[in-house]
Short mmCIF file of all heavy atoms in Angstrom, two decimals:
data_model
loop_
_atom_site.label_atom_id
_atom_site.label_comp_id
_atom_site.label_asym_id
_atom_site.label_seq_id
_atom_site.Cartn_x
_atom_site.Cartn_y
_atom_site.Cartn_z
N ARG T 1430 52.60 88.37 -63.31
CA ARG T 1430 52.55 87.26 -64.24
C ARG T 1430 51.17 86.87 -64.69
O ARG T 1430 51.02 86.28 -65.76
CB ARG T 1430 53.26 86.06 -63.59
CG ARG T 1430 54.73 86.28 -63.23
CD ARG T 1430 55.30 85.10 -62.50
NE ARG T 1430 56.71 85.30 -62.12
CZ ARG T 1430 57.42 84.49 -61.43
NH1 ARG T 1430 56.89 83.34 -60.98
NH2 ARG T 1430 58.68 84.78 -61.10
N VAL T 1431 50.16 87.17 -63.87
CA VAL T 1431 48.82 86.72 -64.21
C VAL T 1431 48.13 87.79 -65.06
O VAL T 1431 48.03 88.95 -64.71
CB VAL T 1431 47.97 86.49 -62.88
CG1 VAL T 1431 46.55 86.15 -63.25
CG2 VAL T 1431 48.58 85.41 -62.06
N HIS T 1432 47.64 87.34 -66.23
CA HIS T 1432 47.02 88.27 -67.16
C HIS T 1432 45.58 88.56 -66.74
O HIS T 1432 45.14 89.69 -66.78
CB HIS T 1432 47.01 87.68 -68.60
CG HIS T 1432 46.33 88.57 -69.64
ND1 HIS T 1432 46.82 89.86 -69.91
CD2 HIS T 1432 45.28 88.32 -70.46
CE1 HIS T 1432 46.02 90.36 -70.81
NE2 HIS T 1432 45.13 89.49 -71.16
N ASP T 1433 44.83 87.54 -66.33
CA ASP T 1433 43.47 87.69 -65.85
C ASP T 1433 43.50 87.74 -64.32
O ASP T 1433 43.69 86.72 -63.64
CB ASP T 1433 42.64 86.49 -66.36
CG ASP T 1433 41.15 86.70 -66.05
OD1 ASP T 1433 40.81 87.58 -65.24
OD2 ASP T 1433 40.34 85.94 -66.59
N GLN T 1434 43.26 88.94 -63.78
CA GLN T 1434 43.39 89.14 -62.34
C GLN T 1434 42.02 89.14 -61.62
O GLN T 1434 41.91 89.54 -60.47
CB GLN T 1434 44.15 90.45 -62.10
CG GLN T 1434 45.54 90.47 -62.62
CD GLN T 1434 46.15 91.82 -62.59
OE1 GLN T 1434 45.50 92.82 -62.48
NE2 GLN T 1434 47.50 91.87 -62.74
N ARG T 1435 40.98 88.70 -62.33
CA ARG T 1435 39.62 88.78 -61.76
C ARG T 1435 39.47 87.96 -60.48
O ARG T 1435 38.89 88.38 -59.52
CB ARG T 1435 38.59 88.31 -62.78
CG ARG T 1435 38.34 89.31 -63.90
CD ARG T 1435 37.31 88.76 -64.92
NE ARG T 1435 37.82 87.61 -65.58
CZ ARG T 1435 37.18 86.95 -66.54
NH1 ARG T 1435 35.96 87.35 -66.88
NH2 ARG T 1435 37.71 85.91 -67.16
N ALA T 1436 40.02 86.74 -60.50
CA ALA T 1436 39.85 85.85 -59.35
C ALA T 1436 40.57 86.44 -58.13
O ALA T 1436 40.05 86.45 -57.03
CB ALA T 1436 40.44 84.46 -59.65
N VAL T 1437 41.74 87.03 -58.31
CA VAL T 1437 42.48 87.65 -57.24
C VAL T 1437 41.74 88.81 -56.66
O VAL T 1437 41.61 89.02 -55.47
CB VAL T 1437 43.89 88.06 -57.66
CG1 VAL T 1437 44.70 88.66 -56.53
CG2 VAL T 1437 44.66 86.83 -58.25
N ALA T 1438 41.20 89.67 -57.59
CA ALA T 1438 40.46 90.89 -57.18
C ALA T 1438 39.20 90.53 -56.37
O ALA T 1438 38.92 91.12 -55.38
CB ALA T 1438 40.11 91.73 -58.40
N LEU T 1439 38.50 89.50 -56.84
CA LEU T 1439 37.24 89.09 -56.18
C LEU T 1439 37.57 88.44 -54.82
O LEU T 1439 36.88 88.70 -53.86
CB LEU T 1439 36.48 88.13 -57.07
CG LEU T 1439 35.17 87.60 -56.50
CD1 LEU T 1439 34.19 88.74 -56.22
CD2 LEU T 1439 34.56 86.56 -57.43
N ALA T 1440 38.59 87.54 -54.79
CA ALA T 1440 38.91 86.87 -53.53
C ALA T 1440 39.32 87.86 -52.44
O ALA T 1440 38.96 87.62 -51.25
CB ALA T 1440 40.03 85.86 -53.82
N ALA T 1441 40.06 88.90 -52.81
CA ALA T 1441 40.47 89.90 -51.82
C ALA T 1441 39.29 90.59 -51.18
O ALA T 1441 39.26 90.85 -49.96
CB ALA T 1441 41.42 90.92 -52.46
N ALA T 1442 38.24 90.91 -52.01
CA ALA T 1442 37.07 91.54 -51.46
C ALA T 1442 36.23 90.58 -50.57
O ALA T 1442 35.77 90.96 -49.52
CB ALA T 1442 36.18 92.07 -52.60
N LEU T 1443 36.07 89.32 -51.03
CA LEU T 1443 35.31 88.35 -50.29
C LEU T 1443 35.98 87.97 -48.97
O LEU T 1443 35.31 87.58 -48.02
CB LEU T 1443 35.03 87.11 -51.14
CG LEU T 1443 34.12 87.38 -52.34
CD1 LEU T 1443 33.91 86.06 -53.10
CD2 LEU T 1443 32.81 87.96 -51.93
N LEU T 1444 37.29 88.04 -48.89
CA LEU T 1444 37.99 87.78 -47.63
C LEU T 1444 37.57 88.82 -46.61
O LEU T 1444 37.39 88.49 -45.44
CB LEU T 1444 39.50 87.90 -47.87
CG LEU T 1444 40.39 87.60 -46.61
CD1 LEU T 1444 40.10 86.23 -46.02
CD2 LEU T 1444 41.83 87.75 -46.98
N GLN T 1445 37.33 90.07 -47.03
CA GLN T 1445 36.84 91.06 -46.08
C GLN T 1445 35.45 90.71 -45.62
O GLN T 1445 35.11 90.96 -44.44
CB GLN T 1445 36.91 92.44 -46.73
CG GLN T 1445 38.27 92.94 -47.08
CD GLN T 1445 38.30 94.33 -47.63
OE1 GLN T 1445 37.68 95.24 -47.04
NE2 GLN T 1445 39.02 94.57 -48.69
N THR T 1446 34.58 90.20 -46.52
CA THR T 1446 33.27 89.77 -46.13
C THR T 1446 33.35 88.76 -45.00
O THR T 1446 32.59 88.83 -44.00
CB THR T 1446 32.49 89.14 -47.35
OG1 THR T 1446 32.53 90.05 -48.44
CG2 THR T 1446 31.07 88.86 -46.96
N LEU T 1447 34.25 87.77 -45.14
CA LEU T 1447 34.44 86.76 -44.13
C LEU T 1447 34.81 87.38 -42.77
O LEU T 1447 34.30 86.96 -41.75
CB LEU T 1447 35.51 85.75 -44.61
CG LEU T 1447 35.92 84.72 -43.55
CD1 LEU T 1447 34.76 83.76 -43.26
CD2 LEU T 1447 37.14 83.91 -44.09
N THR T 1448 35.69 88.35 -42.81
CA THR T 1448 36.13 88.94 -41.50
C THR T 1448 34.99 89.67 -40.84
O THR T 1448 34.87 89.67 -39.62
CB THR T 1448 37.33 89.88 -41.75
OG1 THR T 1448 36.92 90.97 -42.54
CG2 THR T 1448 38.47 89.17 -42.42
N PHE T 1449 34.13 90.39 -41.58
CA PHE T 1449 33.05 91.12 -41.00
C PHE T 1449 32.06 90.09 -40.30
O PHE T 1449 31.55 90.38 -39.26
CB PHE T 1449 32.32 91.93 -42.04
CG PHE T 1449 33.21 92.97 -42.71
CD1 PHE T 1449 33.11 93.28 -44.06
CD2 PHE T 1449 34.17 93.67 -41.97
CE1 PHE T 1449 33.86 94.21 -44.66
CE2 PHE T 1449 34.96 94.60 -42.56
CZ PHE T 1449 34.81 94.89 -43.92
N LEU T 1450 31.82 88.99 -41.01
CA LEU T 1450 31.00 87.96 -40.37
C LEU T 1450 31.66 87.40 -39.10
O LEU T 1450 30.98 87.11 -38.17
CB LEU T 1450 30.74 86.83 -41.42
CG LEU T 1450 29.83 87.16 -42.58
CD1 LEU T 1450 29.87 86.07 -43.62
CD2 LEU T 1450 28.41 87.38 -42.10
N GLY T 1451 32.97 87.30 -39.17
CA GLY T 1451 33.71 86.76 -38.01
C GLY T 1451 33.59 87.69 -36.82
O GLY T 1451 33.32 87.25 -35.68
N PHE T 1452 33.76 89.02 -37.05
CA PHE T 1452 33.62 89.98 -35.93
C PHE T 1452 32.20 89.88 -35.33
O PHE T 1452 31.99 90.08 -34.13
CB PHE T 1452 33.83 91.39 -36.45
CG PHE T 1452 35.26 91.80 -36.59
CD1 PHE T 1452 35.72 92.30 -37.82
CD2 PHE T 1452 36.14 91.70 -35.52
CE1 PHE T 1452 37.08 92.68 -37.96
CE2 PHE T 1452 37.50 92.09 -35.65
CZ PHE T 1452 37.95 92.55 -36.87
N LEU T 1453 31.20 89.60 -36.20
CA LEU T 1453 29.82 89.56 -35.75
C LEU T 1453 29.48 88.31 -34.99
O LEU T 1453 28.81 88.35 -33.95
CB LEU T 1453 28.93 89.72 -37.02
CG LEU T 1453 27.42 89.83 -36.79
CD1 LEU T 1453 27.10 91.05 -35.96
CD2 LEU T 1453 26.70 89.88 -38.12
N VAL T 1454 29.94 87.16 -35.50
CA VAL T 1454 29.55 85.87 -34.98
C VAL T 1454 30.51 85.37 -33.87
O VAL T 1454 30.07 84.76 -32.89
CB VAL T 1454 29.45 84.81 -36.09
CG1 VAL T 1454 29.07 83.44 -35.53
CG2 VAL T 1454 28.40 85.27 -37.13
N LEU T 1455 31.80 85.61 -34.03
CA LEU T 1455 32.79 85.08 -33.14
C LEU T 1455 33.78 86.18 -32.70
O LEU T 1455 34.93 86.11 -33.11
CB LEU T 1455 33.50 83.91 -33.79
CG LEU T 1455 34.20 82.86 -32.90
CD1 LEU T 1455 33.18 82.19 -31.94
CD2 LEU T 1455 34.85 81.82 -33.77
N PRO T 1456 33.32 87.16 -31.92
CA PRO T 1456 34.19 88.29 -31.62
C PRO T 1456 35.43 87.91 -30.76
O PRO T 1456 36.40 88.67 -30.73
CB PRO T 1456 33.27 89.20 -30.84
CG PRO T 1456 32.19 88.35 -30.31
CD PRO T 1456 32.00 87.30 -31.33
N SER T 1457 35.34 86.78 -30.08
CA SER T 1457 36.55 86.38 -29.26
C SER T 1457 37.74 86.05 -30.16
O SER T 1457 38.89 85.98 -29.68
CB SER T 1457 36.19 85.15 -28.38
OG SER T 1457 35.79 84.04 -29.22
N TRP T 1458 37.52 85.81 -31.42
CA TRP T 1458 38.62 85.58 -32.40
C TRP T 1458 38.97 86.85 -33.15
O TRP T 1458 39.45 86.76 -34.27
CB TRP T 1458 38.16 84.49 -33.37
CG TRP T 1458 38.07 83.10 -32.83
CD1 TRP T 1458 37.89 82.76 -31.49
CD2 TRP T 1458 38.22 81.87 -33.52
NE1 TRP T 1458 37.85 81.38 -31.36
CE2 TRP T 1458 38.07 80.81 -32.57
CE3 TRP T 1458 38.37 81.56 -34.89
CZ2 TRP T 1458 38.09 79.49 -32.94
CZ3 TRP T 1458 38.44 80.20 -35.26
CH2 TRP T 1458 38.31 79.16 -34.28
N SER T 1459 38.77 87.99 -32.54
CA SER T 1459 38.96 89.26 -33.21
C SER T 1459 40.35 89.44 -33.75
O SER T 1459 40.58 90.13 -34.73
CB SER T 1459 38.58 90.41 -32.32
OG SER T 1459 37.19 90.45 -32.10
N LEU T 1460 41.35 88.87 -33.06
CA LEU T 1460 42.72 88.97 -33.57
C LEU T 1460 42.83 88.39 -34.91
O LEU T 1460 43.46 88.98 -35.86
CB LEU T 1460 43.68 88.27 -32.60
CG LEU T 1460 45.13 88.16 -33.05
CD1 LEU T 1460 45.73 89.53 -33.34
CD2 LEU T 1460 45.99 87.41 -32.00
N LEU T 1461 42.26 87.16 -35.17
CA LEU T 1461 42.31 86.53 -36.46
C LEU T 1461 41.56 87.37 -37.49
O LEU T 1461 42.10 87.57 -38.59
CB LEU T 1461 41.67 85.13 -36.34
CG LEU T 1461 41.51 84.39 -37.70
CD1 LEU T 1461 42.87 84.12 -38.33
CD2 LEU T 1461 40.73 83.09 -37.49
N TRP T 1462 40.37 87.84 -37.12
CA TRP T 1462 39.59 88.61 -38.10
C TRP T 1462 40.28 89.90 -38.46
O TRP T 1462 40.25 90.32 -39.61
CB TRP T 1462 38.21 88.87 -37.52
CG TRP T 1462 37.44 87.72 -36.99
CD1 TRP T 1462 36.80 87.61 -35.84
CD2 TRP T 1462 37.33 86.42 -37.66
NE1 TRP T 1462 36.24 86.34 -35.68
CE2 TRP T 1462 36.56 85.59 -36.79
CE3 TRP T 1462 37.75 85.88 -38.87
CZ2 TRP T 1462 36.24 84.28 -37.13
CZ3 TRP T 1462 37.43 84.56 -39.17
CH2 TRP T 1462 36.68 83.78 -38.33
N ALA T 1463 40.94 90.57 -37.50
CA ALA T 1463 41.64 91.81 -37.79
C ALA T 1463 42.77 91.59 -38.77
O ALA T 1463 43.00 92.36 -39.67
CB ALA T 1463 42.12 92.45 -36.46
N VAL T 1464 43.53 90.53 -38.55
CA VAL T 1464 44.64 90.20 -39.41
C VAL T 1464 44.17 89.86 -40.82
O VAL T 1464 44.73 90.34 -41.82
CB VAL T 1464 45.51 89.04 -38.83
CG1 VAL T 1464 46.54 88.55 -39.83
CG2 VAL T 1464 46.21 89.49 -37.55
N LEU T 1465 43.09 89.04 -40.91
CA LEU T 1465 42.58 88.67 -42.24
C LEU T 1465 42.01 89.92 -42.93
O LEU T 1465 42.15 90.04 -44.17
CB LEU T 1465 41.48 87.62 -42.08
CG LEU T 1465 42.01 86.19 -41.69
CD1 LEU T 1465 40.86 85.25 -41.52
CD2 LEU T 1465 42.96 85.67 -42.70
N PHE T 1466 41.33 90.80 -42.18
CA PHE T 1466 40.81 92.01 -42.77
C PHE T 1466 41.96 92.85 -43.34
O PHE T 1466 41.88 93.37 -44.46
CB PHE T 1466 40.01 92.85 -41.80
CG PHE T 1466 39.67 94.20 -42.31
CD1 PHE T 1466 38.65 94.35 -43.26
CD2 PHE T 1466 40.37 95.29 -41.96
CE1 PHE T 1466 38.34 95.57 -43.79
CE2 PHE T 1466 40.07 96.56 -42.43
CZ PHE T 1466 39.07 96.69 -43.38
N GLY T 1467 43.05 93.01 -42.55
CA GLY T 1467 44.20 93.78 -43.04
C GLY T 1467 44.77 93.18 -44.31
O GLY T 1467 45.13 93.90 -45.27
N PHE T 1468 44.84 91.84 -44.37
CA PHE T 1468 45.39 91.18 -45.56
C PHE T 1468 44.46 91.46 -46.75
O PHE T 1468 44.95 91.78 -47.86
CB PHE T 1468 45.51 89.68 -45.28
CG PHE T 1468 46.09 88.93 -46.46
CD1 PHE T 1468 47.49 88.78 -46.54
CD2 PHE T 1468 45.33 88.39 -47.45
CE1 PHE T 1468 48.09 88.09 -47.60
CE2 PHE T 1468 45.90 87.68 -48.52
CZ PHE T 1468 47.25 87.57 -48.59
N GLY T 1469 43.14 91.31 -46.56
CA GLY T 1469 42.21 91.55 -47.65
C GLY T 1469 42.19 92.98 -48.12
O GLY T 1469 42.21 93.29 -49.35
N SER T 1470 42.22 93.93 -47.19
CA SER T 1470 42.22 95.31 -47.57
C SER T 1470 43.49 95.76 -48.26
O SER T 1470 43.45 96.47 -49.26
CB SER T 1470 42.02 96.19 -46.28
OG SER T 1470 41.99 97.57 -46.60
N GLY T 1471 44.64 95.27 -47.74
CA GLY T 1471 45.91 95.54 -48.41
C GLY T 1471 46.00 94.91 -49.77
O GLY T 1471 46.57 95.58 -50.68
N SER T 1472 45.37 93.80 -49.97
CA SER T 1472 45.35 93.15 -51.30
C SER T 1472 44.61 94.00 -52.29
O SER T 1472 45.01 94.22 -53.45
CB SER T 1472 44.74 91.76 -51.20
OG SER T 1472 45.51 90.92 -50.39
#
């Protein structure tokens, strides 16, 4: 339905950036970062 998909495409990539920072700074939350990474990569 969305004609301009730029925001969706950019957000999916930046979500992965967030997860890499999460693995680095807060590894005890790795379950959350792994799930978010999977969502971003799948997107």
Side-chain angles (χ1 to χ4, degrees):
R1430 297 176 184 176
V1431 176
H1432 180 59
D1433 188 346
Q1434 299 169 343
R1435 286 178 296 180
V1437 180
L1439 179 61
L1443 294 181
L1444 180 59
Q1445 295 185 49
T1446 308
L1447 174 65
T1448 65
F1449 300 142
L1450 289 170
F1452 281 125
L1453 185 61
V1454 177
L1455 203 58
S1457 60
W1458 289 25
S1459 290
L1460 172 59
L1461 174 63
W1462 309 132
V1464 170
L1465 289 178
F1466 171 76
F1468 184 88
S1470 180
S1472 297

